[in-house]
Amino acid sequence: CGEARERGGRGEREQGMSSWFSGGASFLRRSVVNPLITSIAEKASPKRAQRGLWGGKKINFGNNVSDSGRKTRKRWSPNIQTKRLWSDCFDTMLRLKVSTFVLRCIDKKGGLDNYLAETPDKKLDSKLGSFLKEQVLEQRRRMTLGQELLPPPSMSDIAEKERRAAKHAAWQEAHRFDK
């Protein structure tokens, strides 16, 4: 301790406190941009939420606490259902993955088209929802002007079955044994 003072340095105790403090500060700096934290945020709003109508619902995380107080990680997923919903604008059924929260909202608004038209994009919170909203608004505009109507979006059951049948036929043709 005396040698450090003679050389003009700090004592061991002061060095220990300084390194402890700087280590704590660097931990705070690291935790702000920690990739683990960003991956948890991505899990809370997974990519599959962009392919359905979840209504802003996300995966929640927490702990299961037993009687002994032991904590184990748990996640609560939103209640997602695959439903066929009627679209008045396109006169067809659309197969969509929707949360039960969105199903209640659709009932409250009076149908899928009204829900999409009246809900802000921020609350739709998905690429599919924004795409369908644009399609519904454009179809309504064409109906009022008496213009030619758009075909149903590609996620309708009929279009999806035709697309799958064409893809399957192309695959079968490519994998024939008698070529």
Side-chain angles (χ1 to χ4, degrees), residues 48 50 73 83 145:
R48 66 179 172 260
Q50 297 298 316
R73 294 301 286 170
K83 292 288 181 185
L145 296 175

Side-chain angles (χ1 to χ4, degrees), residues 83-85 87 92-96 112 132 153 155-156:
K83 292 288 181 185
R84 292 175 61 218
L85 300 169
S87 172
T92 187
M93 299 291 275
L94 301 177
R95 184 186 297 157
L96 300 169
L112 177 65
L132 287 175
M155 75 279 308
S156 69

Side-chain angles (χ1 to χ4, degrees), residues 22-127:
S22 64
S26 67
F27 169 74
L28 290 174
R29 283 192 301 272
R30 280 193 312 265
S31 68
V32 171
V33 292
N34 190 345
L36 177 65
I37 293 172
T38 57
S39 68
I40 290 173
E42 288 170 359
K43 284 182 186 174
S45 180
K47 290 182 182 176
R48 66 179 172 260
Q50 297 298 316
R51 298 189 303 264
L53 298 175
W54 287 24
K57 296 296 180 187
K58 300 194 181 320
I59 298 171
N60 291 318
F61 299 94
N63 291 319
N64 259 351
V65 182
S66 66
D67 291 338
S68 66
R70 178 172 292 200
K71 294 177 183 144
T72 55
R73 294 301 286 170
K74 181 176 170 84
R75 64 182 239 167
W76 289 272
S77 298
N79 189 359
I80 305 299
Q81 306 292 325
T82 302
K83 292 288 181 185
R84 292 175 61 218
L85 300 169
W86 178 257
S87 172
D88 291 327
C89 289
F90 297 108
D91 287 331
T92 187
M93 299 291 275
L94 301 177
R95 184 186 297 157
L96 300 169
K97 291 193 178 241
V98 295
S99 66
T100 52
F101 170 76
V102 170
L103 284 174
R104 288 192 303 272
C105 292
I106 289 170
D107 285 342
K108 183 177 179 180
K109 300 275 183 171
L112 177 65
D113 298 336
N114 290 337
Y115 169 74
L116 291 168
E118 296 172 14
T119 306
D121 283 335
K122 189 172 183 178
K123 286 192 176 179
L124 286 176
D125 196 27
S126 75
K127 292 177 185 174

